[in-house]
Amino acid sequence: MKAELDVIVIGAGFCGITVAASLKKFGIDNFVVIEKGETVATIWKNAYERLVTQNPYFTLPFFEGKAKYSTFKTKEEMVEYLTEYAHHFQVDSHIRCGEEVQNITKNYNQNQTDENWQIQTTKDTLQCKVLVICTGLTNEPVIPKLVEQENFLGKIIHSSAYKNGIPYQNQQVLVIGSGNSAAEIALDLYEHGAERVDMLIRGKRWVFPLYPRLRSLQYWLWRSRSYFKRLFNNNTIDSRIEAMAKAIDFSPEELQADIKETDKFIQRFALDLSAYSIYREDKGPMDVEVNQGRVAWVDRGTVQQIKKGNIRVISNSIQQLTKTGVIFTNGVSQNYDAIILGTGFRPGINKILRQPQLYLNLNDRLLPKTDGKCQSIVDPTLYFVGFEKTVARSATYGYYGWCTGKRIALQLLERKFLSRQKLQI
């Protein structure tokens, strides 16, 4: 077993890298970032080829990037940007790629007081004083078991394993789901020459058009405001982190009020697709995203092909699979060569935490029990970054990461955990 670390960060995505950058900035150097993939931003690297971000000019705090990126970064650009970010803040040497966490336990001394965390990985056994879990909301694919699935002779894969539509040329494919991945994969299949593309949409879903120009304009207006603010107020990193901390310091009541106000504004842009058996959710799009985890479908061309009849919407459930296809609950049978499960993801933290019921909300998607700012309410040396309920989640990843890094640094200093290091602020 190796010497004890001050901090272990699990996950080298947006949250993990910003936590690492913040730790480095505030004088913590005895830490590692464990990443199961072979590079940073593994989820983006392994995603289907046409994936792009929905946020124009997406960046993380304190670094815009040296390369010229697209308005909506491609998956390759997201990996490149985060790699740049890690190098800029000198945290790349702390990242251990190709290593997956298998088990997390808390060790106690004879007096039952906190001692340290023990992390078992595929390569090592590590100990640390503070543990930060940044594995994200999309860490584990949700793969449902279909009735008589074993009879089906075709291919069944989850969207996480899909790359492009080339292997499905001239094939009949059923895409299950109505999220962004399902919609984009259905479009990709059609554009690559699939003979038939059906989308099985069993529930309700908010659908919005993508307004690149409008969203870009919003971004540039925000940049202009930020520029003039910096022009007249030369903020330091410390003061900007204080501003970040204020931005994420809100009560549950304030969050719900923000959700209500946001929904009131954005609902007016939603598409009416009831003629195609796609119906709006009963609750607002932001309410559904924050409180239930279902993100609205932002259309990039799928709707047009649905209206043209090139992609067909099926609203019936699956009764059972056959050797050659599917029998739906309305009695209709349809042959398929492949079924792609756009059935989403879940955090999966419960798979690695010992006593997950102690740290996670069993009745709320197994999300961690925190103070609303990433620190566990069960154990003050445990943090979960990237799981908080907030409007515009991706825009706040860096906020939570940097604030958490600083908070941990102060915590280590106050508890006299650091033996040979001084906090540099």
Side-chain angles (χ1 to χ4, degrees):
M1 185 179 294
K2 292 188 177 181
E4 184 182 64
L5 296 156
D6 288 320
V7 186
I8 290 178
V9 180
I10 303 176
F14 301 135
C15 296
I17 294 300
T18 51
V19 169
S22 183
L23 288 172
K24 195 83 172 181
K25 159 64 183 174
F26 293 110
I28 308 301
D29 200 60
N30 185 27
F31 72 91
V32 297
V33 180
I34 301 174
E35 169 54 49
K36 66 180 179 181
E38 298 302 325
T39 181
V40 298
T42 295
I43 290 177
W44 283 86
K45 183 177 178 61
N46 294 338
Y48 52 91
E49 292 178 1
R50 69 183 298 143
L51 178 65
V52 297
T53 179
Q54 294 181 10
N55 298 322
Y57 301 99
F58 174 86
T59 58
L60 295 169
F62 310 120
F63 186 66
E64 296 289 330
K66 297 177 182 178
K68 291 184 178 179
Y69 296 109
S70 306
T71 303
F72 294 89
K73 289 185 179 68
T74 65
K75 69 171 207 153
E76 290 81 10
E77 289 176 325
M78 291 299 270
V79 175
E80 182 182 353
Y81 170 70
L82 201 57
T83 301
E84 261 198 282
Y85 197 92
H87 180 71
H88 177 78
F89 289 101
Q90 300 178 338
V91 299
D92 16 18
S93 61
H94 294 266
I95 303 172
R96 297 168 54 146
C97 290
E99 187 170 358
E100 187 169 3
V101 173
Q102 296 178 313
N103 188 265
I104 298 170
T105 57
K106 187 67 183 286
N107 292 334
Y108 297 93
N109 59 24
Q110 293 180 350
N111 296 324
Q112 290 296 301
T113 57
D114 290 352
E115 192 175 50
N116 53 40
W117 293 94
Q118 180 171 300
I119 292 84
Q120 180 67 51
T121 77
T122 49
K123 296 182 178 180
D124 208 346
T125 300
L126 305 172
Q127 291 191 37
C128 65
K129 299 162 187 172
V130 178
L131 175 64
V132 191
I133 298 178
C134 304
T135 48
L137 294 167
T138 58
N139 186 52
E140 181 185 10
V142 175
I143 304 177
K145 174 73 173 177
L146 304 175
V147 179
E148 299 193 29
Q149 178 175 316
E150 63 278 3
N151 293 332
F152 184 60
L153 299 178
K155 188 175 183 179
I156 301 177
I157 66 167
H158 188 269
S159 61
S160 57
Y162 179 90
K163 297 305 177 185
N164 59 55
I166 294 175
Y168 304 93
Q169 289 177 357
N170 303 315
Q171 293 191 9
Q172 300 183 83
V173 187
L174 175 65
V175 180
I176 299 177
S178 59
N180 286 294
S181 295
E184 292 188 19
I185 287 172
L187 179 62
D188 195 57
L189 289 165
Y190 165 72
E191 291 179 348
H192 278 90
E195 179 183 327
R196 179 187 180 105
V197 181
D198 291 347
M199 285 185 69
L200 177 60
I201 301 177
R202 294 168 291 182
K204 297 179 180 180
R205 176 71 67 169
W206 286 99
V207 184
F208 291 88
L210 179 67
Y211 292 113
R213 293 181 182 178
L214 174 61
R215 299 191 74 164
S216 297
L217 177 61
Q218 290 174 333
Y219 171 80
W220 285 113
L221 288 172
W222 172 80
R223 279 185 62 88
S224 298
R225 290 197 304 270
S226 300
Y227 170 76
F228 285 110
K229 183 177 179 180
R230 290 196 300 271
L231 187 64
F232 294 104
N233 181 14
N234 187 20
N235 291 325
T236 63
I237 285 183
D238 276 326
S239 62
R240 290 178 68 182
I241 291 180
E242 288 177 7
M244 292 178 190
K246 291 179 181 178
I248 61 177
D249 186 13
F250 48 81
S251 67
E253 293 75 23
E254 289 171 324
L255 173 60
Q256 292 306 314
D258 195 9
I259 289 171
K260 186 176 180 180
E261 190 65 25
T262 303
D263 276 338
K264 183 179 179 181
F265 173 74
I266 65 176
Q267 283 186 37
R268 69 186 72 179
F269 301 110
L271 298 174
D272 181 4
L273 299 176
S274 55
Y276 305 92
S277 301
I278 303 175
Y279 303 97
R280 297 179 180 181
E281 299 264 10
D282 297 326
K283 293 186 177 181
M286 191 55 62
D287 191 332
V288 170
E289 177 177 342
V290 174
N291 293 313
Q292 300 179 33
R294 294 201 306 276
V295 180
W297 163 0
V298 178
D299 180 55
R300 292 181 178 273
T302 308
V303 170
Q304 182 182 10
Q305 300 308 326
I306 289 174
K307 290 181 176 179
K308 289 181 176 180
N310 295 321
I311 297 174
R312 302 165 185 82
V313 174
I314 297 174
S315 56
N316 291 283
S317 298
I318 292 176
Q319 179 176 304
Q320 68 181 68
L321 268 58
T322 65
K323 288 184 178 181
T324 58
V326 173
I327 300 175
F328 297 101
T329 52
N330 63 354
V332 173
S333 298
Q334 176 61 49
N335 289 340
Y336 292 108
D337 299 294
I339 298 174
I340 298 173
L341 305 172
T343 44
F345 300 82
R346 55 189 160 217
I349 315 171
N350 56 304
K351 300 291 181 65
I352 58 174
L353 266 176
R354 186 179 179 185
Q355 295 182 302
Q357 70 279 4
L358 181 63
Y359 303 101
L360 308 178
N361 288 297
L362 302 183
N363 298 323
D364 189 6
R365 293 177 281 148
L366 293 177
L367 294 178
K369 300 174 183 177
T370 71
D371 61 354
K373 291 176 285 186
C374 304
Q375 188 176 38
S376 171
I377 61 174
V378 179
D379 190 312
T381 62
L382 176 62
Y383 292 81
F384 300 88
V385 186
F387 303 92
E388 300 294 353
K389 293 183 178 181
T390 178
V391 175
R393 182 186 302 276
S394 61
T396 63
Y397 281 152
Y399 287 25
Y400 283 104
W402 274 87
C403 290
T404 299
K406 181 176 181 180
R407 191 175 183 182
I408 291 170
L410 292 170
Q411 180 185 29
L412 289 169
L413 180 67
E414 290 169 1
R415 295 187 172 212
K416 299 180 180 179
F417 280 167
L418 293 176
S419 55
R420 292 184 295 272
Q421 295 179 342
K422 291 184 179 179
L423 188 64
Q424 300 172 353
I425 300 181

